[in-house]
Amino acid sequence: MSSSSSLSSSSSSLLGSSSHPLTPYGWDADWEAEFAPYTAQGLVPGRVVRVDRGQCDIVTAEGVVRADTAFVTPHDPLRVVCTGDWAAVDPDGSPRYVRTYLPRRTAFVRSTSSKRSEGQILAANVDHAIVVVSAAVELDLARVERFLALAWESGAQPVIVLTKADLVADPVTVSHLVQDVESAAPGVPVLPVSSLHGDGLDVLAAVVGGGTAVLLGQSGAGKSTLANALLGEDAMGVQATRDVDGKGRHTTTTRNLLLLPGGGALIDTPGLRGVGLWDAGGGVGQVFAEIEELAAECRFHDCAHETEPGCAVRAALDAGELPERRLESYRKLLRENQRIVAKTDARLRAEIRKEWKRRGAQGRAAMEAKRSGLR
């Protein structure tokens, strides 16, 4: 069954519900109040469930309609219509048009791989960001931390799902994998799941039920299989992955919003080869909360955690309380995020150049002092 026909049948069944037909999609009193000015203009509300080639599928009280986004095509790629948006649509006409969309409560944004480093919005108005990681291949904790930084920055609550747990023969090994991921994701639920056998699906459904969740992860991580298991039908195409590295071709090519049978909605996304940060300083801080807490105890407020005296971060590192890998990952993501922000912030670029010069001068002075001591 195609995603569009699945959505149409789901929407038709909702029309007999005693509640508002859009309630299962997340419509509530606050959205209704925000939409009031557009109701007065004769427009109708709907949630965007798919976007492609300047058009989108929108579920409204009357069912799924096709609408053109020509009136909402700004130069800023972060303001284009996105899956998950609540749109104001023409009540009729051919073609119908999206006239605007309501301000987003949350937005999952990444940096594109282009040289311009533009932001790309992946999903809007999401309550939970499900980071999908395969337990059948070697864990890449740095990539997990990267996904988490974007998830926290979006405003959504992250959840990590270790898929393909059935391919790990020893339950003790699964437990160790969970612990390893938990060490890189403080405060984030880590759930081992077998989409094939259904193990752990009830726990995940209970965590994300009632809101909107987005699936995020690399190709081959098992996102589409997990989506099908949660949806209770083969709504998403699935292809086999290579045994040697667990990688697979993209099986999802667009972002689709579908209703979960137990309540809530799910947005599946294409596998992400690159996950660049986009102004995610706050998200990085939440992923590495323990480092930021230590940094607050450093003697100098601008401590680089390298050779400065009274550095609480280095002290924790030397005492074995902070893994070197965590600190290096923290530094890498901070540097990357700073570069992205600096490209759009002239004042910050000037501050970064000033800081580079200051550190360069300090390094030269230290080298000169060392040379003088050897004379």
PDB file of all heavy atoms in Angstrom, residues 115-128:
ATOM      1  N   LYS A 115      28.747  23.683  -0.292  1.00  0.00           N
ATOM      2  CA  LYS A 115      29.783  24.611   0.151  1.00  0.00           C
ATOM      3  C   LYS A 115      29.184  25.831   0.832  1.00  0.00           C
ATOM      4  O   LYS A 115      29.830  26.493   1.619  1.00  0.00           O
ATOM      5  CB  LYS A 115      30.644  25.033  -1.045  1.00  0.00           C
ATOM      6  CG  LYS A 115      31.490  23.903  -1.623  1.00  0.00           C
ATOM      7  CD  LYS A 115      32.366  24.389  -2.749  1.00  0.00           C
ATOM      8  CE  LYS A 115      33.235  23.261  -3.287  1.00  0.00           C
ATOM      9  NZ  LYS A 115      34.099  23.704  -4.425  1.00  0.00           N
ATOM     10  N   ARG A 116      27.917  26.133   0.516  1.00  0.00           N
ATOM     11  CA  ARG A 116      27.272  27.286   1.148  1.00  0.00           C
ATOM     12  C   ARG A 116      26.843  26.979   2.572  1.00  0.00           C
ATOM     13  O   ARG A 116      26.507  27.882   3.323  1.00  0.00           O
ATOM     14  CB  ARG A 116      26.055  27.708   0.313  1.00  0.00           C
ATOM     15  CG  ARG A 116      26.419  28.314  -1.018  1.00  0.00           C
ATOM     16  CD  ARG A 116      25.170  28.679  -1.800  1.00  0.00           C
ATOM     17  NE  ARG A 116      24.414  27.476  -2.175  1.00  0.00           N
ATOM     18  CZ  ARG A 116      23.274  27.507  -2.838  1.00  0.00           C
ATOM     19  NH1 ARG A 116      22.729  28.656  -3.183  1.00  0.00           N
ATOM     20  NH2 ARG A 116      22.654  26.378  -3.162  1.00  0.00           N
ATOM     21  N   SER A 117      26.854  25.701   2.919  1.00  0.00           N
ATOM     22  CA  SER A 117      26.493  25.274   4.273  1.00  0.00           C
ATOM     23  C   SER A 117      25.142  25.842   4.707  1.00  0.00           C
ATOM     24  O   SER A 117      25.004  26.427   5.774  1.00  0.00           O
ATOM     25  CB  SER A 117      27.585  25.691   5.275  1.00  0.00           C
ATOM     26  OG  SER A 117      28.781  25.040   4.995  1.00  0.00           O
ATOM     27  N   GLU A 118      24.150  25.671   3.852  1.00  0.00           N
ATOM     28  CA  GLU A 118      22.813  26.124   4.191  1.00  0.00           C
ATOM     29  C   GLU A 118      22.165  25.126   5.153  1.00  0.00           C
ATOM     30  O   GLU A 118      22.523  23.957   5.204  1.00  0.00           O
ATOM     31  CB  GLU A 118      21.963  26.246   2.927  1.00  0.00           C
ATOM     32  CG  GLU A 118      22.441  27.329   1.971  1.00  0.00           C
ATOM     33  CD  GLU A 118      21.608  27.354   0.698  1.00  0.00           C
ATOM     34  OE1 GLU A 118      21.047  26.298   0.343  1.00  0.00           O
ATOM     35  OE2 GLU A 118      21.521  28.416   0.066  1.00  0.00           O
ATOM     36  N   GLY A 119      21.196  25.630   5.907  1.00  0.00           N
ATOM     37  CA  GLY A 119      20.459  24.746   6.778  1.00  0.00           C
ATOM     38  C   GLY A 119      19.356  24.042   6.009  1.00  0.00           C
ATOM     39  O   GLY A 119      18.799  24.578   5.062  1.00  0.00           O
ATOM     40  N   GLN A 120      19.059  22.822   6.397  1.00  0.00           N
ATOM     41  CA  GLN A 120      17.976  22.046   5.794  1.00  0.00           C
ATOM     42  C   GLN A 120      17.069  21.554   6.895  1.00  0.00           C
ATOM     43  O   GLN A 120      17.514  20.893   7.830  1.00  0.00           O
ATOM     44  CB  GLN A 120      18.523  20.855   5.009  1.00  0.00           C
ATOM     45  CG  GLN A 120      17.424  19.983   4.406  1.00  0.00           C
ATOM     46  CD  GLN A 120      17.951  18.676   3.835  1.00  0.00           C
ATOM     47  OE1 GLN A 120      19.025  18.222   4.212  1.00  0.00           O
ATOM     48  NE2 GLN A 120      17.206  18.075   2.925  1.00  0.00           N
ATOM     49  N   ILE A 121      15.784  21.876   6.797  1.00  0.00           N
ATOM     50  CA  ILE A 121      14.837  21.424   7.808  1.00  0.00           C
ATOM     51  C   ILE A 121      14.312  20.046   7.407  1.00  0.00           C
ATOM     52  O   ILE A 121      13.888  19.820   6.271  1.00  0.00           O
ATOM     53  CB  ILE A 121      13.686  22.434   7.988  1.00  0.00           C
ATOM     54  CG1 ILE A 121      12.756  21.957   9.094  1.00  0.00           C
ATOM     55  CG2 ILE A 121      12.938  22.697   6.691  1.00  0.00           C
ATOM     56  CD1 ILE A 121      11.853  23.033   9.631  1.00  0.00           C
ATOM     57  N   LEU A 122      14.377  19.113   8.352  1.00  0.00           N
ATOM     58  CA  LEU A 122      13.983  17.729   8.081  1.00  0.00           C
ATOM     59  C   LEU A 122      12.575  17.407   8.557  1.00  0.00           C
ATOM     60  O   LEU A 122      11.897  16.589   7.954  1.00  0.00           O
ATOM     61  CB  LEU A 122      14.966  16.767   8.750  1.00  0.00           C
ATOM     62  CG  LEU A 122      16.427  16.869   8.315  1.00  0.00           C
ATOM     63  CD1 LEU A 122      17.277  15.869   9.084  1.00  0.00           C
ATOM     64  CD2 LEU A 122      16.562  16.631   6.811  1.00  0.00           C
ATOM     65  N   ALA A 123      12.148  18.006   9.648  1.00  0.00           N
ATOM     66  CA  ALA A 123      10.826  17.712  10.205  1.00  0.00           C
ATOM     67  C   ALA A 123      10.440  18.823  11.171  1.00  0.00           C
ATOM     68  O   ALA A 123      11.304  19.439  11.798  1.00  0.00           O
ATOM     69  CB  ALA A 123      10.817  16.374  10.926  1.00  0.00           C
ATOM     70  N   ALA A 124       9.141  19.073  11.283  1.00  0.00           N
ATOM     71  CA  ALA A 124       8.655  20.156  12.139  1.00  0.00           C
ATOM     72  C   ALA A 124       7.613  19.646  13.123  1.00  0.00           C
ATOM     73  O   ALA A 124       6.922  18.658  12.865  1.00  0.00           O
ATOM     74  CB  ALA A 124       8.055  21.275  11.289  1.00  0.00           C
ATOM     75  N   ASN A 125       7.521  20.340  14.253  1.00  0.00           N
ATOM     76  CA  ASN A 125       6.519  20.047  15.287  1.00  0.00           C
ATOM     77  C   ASN A 125       6.606  18.596  15.766  1.00  0.00           C
ATOM     78  O   ASN A 125       5.624  17.868  15.819  1.00  0.00           O
ATOM     79  CB  ASN A 125       5.114  20.359  14.745  1.00  0.00           C
ATOM     80  CG  ASN A 125       4.988  21.807  14.322  1.00  0.00           C
ATOM     81  OD1 ASN A 125       5.369  22.718  15.046  1.00  0.00           O
ATOM     82  ND2 ASN A 125       4.461  22.035  13.121  1.00  0.00           N
ATOM     83  N   VAL A 126       7.835  18.216  16.111  1.00  0.00           N
ATOM     84  CA  VAL A 126       8.128  16.859  16.564  1.00  0.00           C
ATOM     85  C   VAL A 126       8.307  16.855  18.074  1.00  0.00           C
ATOM     86  O   VAL A 126       8.958  17.731  18.636  1.00  0.00           O
ATOM     87  CB  VAL A 126       9.403  16.329  15.876  1.00  0.00           C
ATOM     88  CG1 VAL A 126       9.855  15.021  16.497  1.00  0.00           C
ATOM     89  CG2 VAL A 126       9.159  16.167  14.379  1.00  0.00           C
ATOM     90  N   ASP A 127       7.730  15.849  18.736  1.00  0.00           N
ATOM     91  CA  ASP A 127       7.860  15.717  20.196  1.00  0.00           C
ATOM     92  C   ASP A 127       9.032  14.829  20.585  1.00  0.00           C
ATOM     93  O   ASP A 127       9.707  15.081  21.578  1.00  0.00           O
ATOM     94  CB  ASP A 127       6.560  15.139  20.780  1.00  0.00           C
ATOM     95  CG  ASP A 127       5.366  16.022  20.483  1.00  0.00           C
ATOM     96  OD1 ASP A 127       5.297  17.123  21.036  1.00  0.00           O
ATOM     97  OD2 ASP A 127       4.507  15.606  19.680  1.00  0.00           O
ATOM     98  N   HIS A 128       9.269  13.762  19.805  1.00  0.00           N
ATOM     99  CA  HIS A 128      10.357  12.831  20.092  1.00  0.00           C
ATOM    100  C   HIS A 128      11.209  12.618  18.843  1.00  0.00           C
ATOM    101  O   HIS A 128      10.666  12.413  17.751  1.00  0.00           O
ATOM    102  CB  HIS A 128       9.830  11.468  20.561  1.00  0.00           C
ATOM    103  CG  HIS A 128       9.253  11.487  21.936  1.00  0.00           C
ATOM    104  ND1 HIS A 128       7.912  11.733  22.179  1.00  0.00           N
ATOM    105  CD2 HIS A 128       9.829  11.307  23.155  1.00  0.00           C
ATOM    106  CE1 HIS A 128       7.694  11.700  23.489  1.00  0.00           C
ATOM    107  NE2 HIS A 128       8.834  11.438  24.098  1.00  0.00           N
TER     108      HIS A 128
END
